[in-house]
Amino acid sequence: MGKKLSFLFVAFFLFGCVPIGRDFPTVPIKDIQANVTTQSQVFAAFGEPVERGYDTGDETWTYYHYVYTVGGVQTQKRLHVVFNKDGTVRNYSYSTR
């Protein structure tokens, strides 16, 4: 934990901002369709998710990219995708700031 805090302090001092997560394209989000879009299509559009998990037995993938500056969060975007058992998208949410 101490090493992470040290890294964040140095990054703030040297660069004035710290990115968290991985940037991802937002244009393909409009093409996501529930019960149609597959996991392989999501992977092809956005790459490896930053986080994988399960929500009530359904697989979830989360993509996020936050840029923190000395003044707080400068940019923020998050895509959370829940998949059906058959590997198609059950639902998704996208937020940005």
Side-chain angles (χ1 to χ4, degrees), residues 6-72:
S6 296
F7 169 76
L8 290 175
F9 177 75
V10 169
F12 269 126
F13 180 75
L14 293 176
F15 306 110
C17 67
V18 175
I20 305 293
R22 186 174 51 252
D23 201 6
F24 59 92
T26 56
V27 172
I29 294 172
K30 65 178 176 37
D31 297 328
I32 299 174
Q33 298 177 34
N35 302 310
V36 174
T37 306
T38 65
Q39 280 183 326
S40 61
Q41 290 171 314
V42 172
F43 188 88
F46 303 104
E48 184 70 29
V50 177
E51 295 178 354
R52 291 177 184 240
Y54 289 91
D55 180 11
T56 60
D58 293 325
E59 189 171 2
T60 62
W61 291 2
T62 305
Y63 300 86
Y64 57 82
H65 186 244
Y66 306 131
V67 177
Y68 292 94
T69 63
V70 177

